Amino acid sequence: MKKRKKILLIAIIIMGIGALLFPNDALAQQSGIKRTELQRQDLSVSGREAIQVRIDFEAGAAFGKHSHPGEEIIYVLAGSLEYEVEGSLPVTLKAGNVLFIPAGQIHAAKNNGNDKAVELATYIVEKGKPVLVMKK
């Protein structure tokens, strides 16, 4: 019985860590957005890590205003996505296009198309901080 409780406790801790790093994944999954972490690596710069995530947007799906504790580099793999970056006009990117979002910059993304859109997001962020912070 004790072994079963330890396994349950470990599972709860792992889910909690995931919720801290990507606090809105449950919301994203429900809104037609799926985030799949591909890799996470420490960098040679102390206190920084690189995280790569594949983000699938169903047709019409949108991810609200948010920021990251570091830079985000976006590469659109499929479809077309509209990005709103605070202080700039909205921009629509198609497969093969890239976008750089500075640290702390508030932005949002949505798939205005009729087909699925996919991006590869690379984050260069402060280690130990939540990767995603929704704007309140």
Side-chain angles (χ1 to χ4, degrees):
M1 192 65 168
K2 286 184 179 185
K3 186 175 183 178
R4 189 174 181 185
K5 285 183 182 180
K6 285 182 182 179
I7 291 171
L8 180 60
L9 179 60
I10 290 169
I12 290 170
I13 290 169
I14 290 170
M15 289 187 307
I17 290 170
L20 286 172
L21 295 175
F22 288 103
N24 299 297
D25 268 357
L27 175 64
Q29 302 295 343
Q30 294 172 1
S31 64
I33 297 173
K34 179 182 176 192
R35 298 174 62 91
T36 305
E37 185 173 313
L38 302 173
Q39 69 172 323
R40 180 182 297 257
Q41 299 291 325
D42 288 342
L43 297 177
S44 59
V45 177
S46 180
R48 293 284 193 181
E49 65 182 340
I51 303 168
Q52 283 192 313
V53 179
R54 176 189 167 118
I55 306 171
D56 294 81
F57 292 76
E58 294 299 327
F63 200 88
K65 293 181 179 183
H66 64 283
S67 65
H68 308 283
E71 291 76 13
E72 179 180 12
I73 303 161
I74 297 165
Y75 177 72
V76 179
L77 297 168
S80 130
L81 293 163
E82 179 181 284
Y83 295 88
E84 290 184 28
V85 179
E86 194 170 81
S88 300
L89 294 173
V91 61
T92 299
L93 303 178
K94 298 181 190 284
N97 293 147
V98 296
L99 180 65
F100 177 84
I101 300 178
Q105 186 76 47
I106 295 171
H107 58 286
K110 62 183 167 182
N111 178 356
N112 286 334
N114 295 322
D115 297 316
K116 181 173 158 179
V118 182
E119 75 175 32
L120 174 65
T122 302
Y123 306 99
I124 308 298
V125 293
E126 292 179 54
K127 192 171 180 173
K129 287 194 173 184
V131 174
L132 179 68
V133 179
M134 293 303 292
K135 182 177 179 184
K136 295 180 183 180

